[in-house]
Amino acid sequence: MSTFKIKDVLTRVYNSKRPAVADLELLLSLATEPETRILYAYADRVRKKFAGNGILLRGIIEFDNNCRNNCLYCGLNRQNKHIKRYRLTQSQVLDSVARMAAQGIKTVVLQSGEASDLDAEWLAIVIREIKQRHHLAVTLSVGEQDLKTYRLWREAGADRYLLKIETTDREIYQAMHPEMDYDRRVTCLRNLKKLGYQVGSGIIIGLRGQTRSSIARDILFFQRHGFDMIGIGPFIPHYQTRLAKDKKGEALLTLNALALTRIVTRFSHLPATTALGSMEQDYRREGLQAGANVLMPNFTPQPYRRYYELYPGKRCVNEAVGACVPCLAGLVASIKRHLDFSYGHTLMR
Ligand code: SAM
């Protein structure tokens, strides 16, 4: 496609309150280096204008890998009998938080599978302790819960919540999550917003049956909901799931989707996801140059980190707690950006 045509479509998408699916599809299909260079440079300018040059850090602690769900793509799904299940104690979580705080990080992300016996009050105590001892921003990523539970955690001090919609294509959603319900997930996202959480969502690129048209609709969904954060990562097949033999998501399509999400949503915080860094090469640098402004160093203590195996080849599973930050400083310096140690609250309000 000619440079002129790409720029023309980009301008139309950027200036439109509701871009056309056909325009988004066209931009998602860009594949040659000269074409994608134009797309990523545009997204990079939009990122700089609305989210600045700093790269925010969110330290993640994967505190529990038990899960009642059966998501076809996920290595934690309850039918996988080959992984060792674990749950950190409150003091293990708080120790990792202390190390994170000592490195100057201001946001902790507490993530887990959806354990059927998760004690909501247990997590509320952890949240209160983190707030009292370290005054960090607390992001939760603990899946679908009822309103009462979301309220309890919000009142305990949680600031943000991540719940990826994974795909907005109902058919694919149902095929990937046979026992779950798309509308319930959207209701959870609405409930979180009503309770005053800064809300993050996101998608997986490369799920079976997914098309560029469905990804275009995902991006419009992000725009309609005005999410504060959006995570976009490639599908990586896990050898002990039913999708073991599926093709992995393409880095190129993931980067195109990320760039377009930046252009359409403008202010949302967008991580260069761990999955993007866990492919045949580390594509997080490319992600940061295509609209992303967040990195998520891992603070899950050893020896548990390798058991949080959503997909194989996950980055940094052998690293010690705290080793990721210096490594990320090198990564961002190589693209002449800098780490931002502020809270990095939402830019949407
Ligand atoms: N249970 C919580 C939830 O459902 O939101 C949070 C944890 S969940 C395991 C974290 C994310 O991992 C999911 O939202 C999904 O996008 C991602 N994930 C799981 N398996 C994956 C795979 N094989 N490839 C890429 N991403 C995957």
Side-chain angles (χ1 to χ4, degrees):
M1 201 185 309
S2 74
T3 302
F4 179 77
K5 169 106 199 254
I6 297 172
K7 286 189 174 160
D8 188 40
V9 180
L10 275 168
T11 311
R12 200 158 61 222
V13 165
Y14 178 70
N15 288 318
S16 168
K17 283 216 169 72
R18 181 145 176 89
V21 170
D23 280 347
L24 295 174
E25 269 187 81
L26 200 123
L27 294 168
L28 284 169
S29 72
L30 299 180
T32 68
E33 202 277 328
E35 288 173 339
T36 55
R37 190 164 358 111
I38 302 168
L39 172 63
Y40 302 160
Y42 201 102
D44 204 44
R45 281 198 298 278
V46 176
R47 185 268 310 150
K48 190 168 176 189
K49 179 163 178 197
F50 294 98
N53 251 336
I55 293 169
L56 295 162
L57 291 179
R58 322 297 202 190
I60 183 163
I61 301 173
E62 298 145 334
F63 66 91
D64 188 341
N65 73 349
N66 291 281
C67 195
R68 63 186 167 203
N69 289 333
N70 191 15
C71 308
L72 260 61
Y73 45 80
C74 184
L76 303 191
N77 85 75
R78 68 160 193 272
Q79 288 183 337
N80 184 359
K81 305 292 180 211
H82 303 282
I83 54 165
K84 190 173 153 60
R85 302 284 172 174
Y86 72 89
R87 172 172 300 156
L88 300 185
T89 62
Q90 287 176 332
S91 46
Q92 283 172 319
V93 175
L94 292 169
D95 283 353
S96 277
V97 174
R99 307 190 59 167
M100 188 184 297
Q103 289 195 323
I105 294 180
K106 301 282 195 320
T107 295
V108 55
V109 180
L110 299 174
Q111 190 179 87
S112 69
E114 260 181 52
S116 44
D117 61 344
L118 172 72
D119 177 353
E121 184 52 37
W122 178 95
L123 187 54
I125 292 167
V126 172
I127 297 165
R128 284 185 213 111
E129 284 297 318
I130 294 173
K131 286 298 198 184
Q132 222 165 48
R133 295 187 198 179
H134 304 291
H135 311 288
L136 300 191
V138 174
T139 302
L140 302 178
S141 174
V142 190
E144 296 180 17
Q145 307 290 342
D146 58 24
L147 187 65
K148 195 166 137 245
T149 305
Y150 285 153
R151 183 176 293 121
L152 171 73
W153 293 337
R154 177 82 183 115
E155 286 171 0
D159 304 273
R160 311 181 189 140
Y161 205 103
L162 304 177
L163 185 72
K164 284 162 83 173
I165 192 70
E166 317 294 1
T167 171
T168 61
D169 182 310
R170 283 172 181 272
E171 262 180 49
I172 302 174
Y173 187 90
Q174 217 48 57
M176 292 294 128
H177 314 96
E179 297 154 15
M180 292 166 72
D181 179 54
Y182 178 82
D183 291 318
R184 176 172 148 82
R185 204 151 180 97
V186 174
T187 301
C188 284
L189 287 165
R190 293 218 171 92
N191 285 343
L192 290 162
K193 191 156 193 173
K194 269 190 227 144
L195 289 168
Y197 282 95
Q198 296 169 45
V199 180
S201 195
I203 51 168
I204 302 179
I205 298 287
L207 291 174
R208 191 188 284 186
Q210 198 180 41
T211 59
R212 286 197 276 270
S213 161
S214 76
I215 297 170
R217 289 169 212 278
D218 295 340
I219 295 170
L220 293 174
F221 174 86
F222 297 151
Q223 188 191 40
R224 267 199 319 281
H225 283 258
F227 293 118
D228 304 293
M229 306 156 293
I230 299 162
I232 298 177
F235 162 65
I236 302 177
H238 190 293
Y239 50 98
Q240 279 152 352
T241 63
R242 280 189 271 167
L243 301 188
K245 295 210 159 63
D246 277 26
K247 246 179 41 198
K248 73 170 166 225
E250 289 168 24
L252 175 79
L253 188 55
T254 309
L255 291 169
N256 288 5
L258 176 63
L260 275 174
T261 300
R262 168 58 68 203
I263 293 164
V264 168
T265 67
R266 300 187 179 191
F267 291 97
S268 299
H269 289 307
L270 307 183
T273 54
T274 305
L276 197 51
S278 305
M279 306 192 76
E280 59 286 354
Q281 73 173 71
D282 181 355
Y283 284 103
R284 289 176 305 170
R285 179 197 314 257
E286 284 75 4
L288 292 169
Q289 293 177 301
N293 69 319
V294 174
L295 284 167
M296 299 178 71
N298 194 325
F299 280 79
T300 306
Q302 299 293 13
Y304 304 101
R305 214 181 276 189
R306 80 199 54 161
Y307 306 129
Y308 200 82
E309 194 186 49
L310 311 174
Y311 44 79
K314 195 156 158 257
R315 286 198 67 76
C316 308
V317 286
N318 296 315
E319 311 291 310
V321 166
C324 288
V325 176
C327 167
L328 295 179
L331 172 68
V332 306
S334 73
I335 53 171
K336 300 196 167 49
R337 302 258 291 279
H338 60 274
L339 294 180
D340 179 344
F341 286 88
S342 63
Y343 282 97
H345 282 303
T346 183
L347 300 170
M348 300 291 284
R349 293 165 200 174

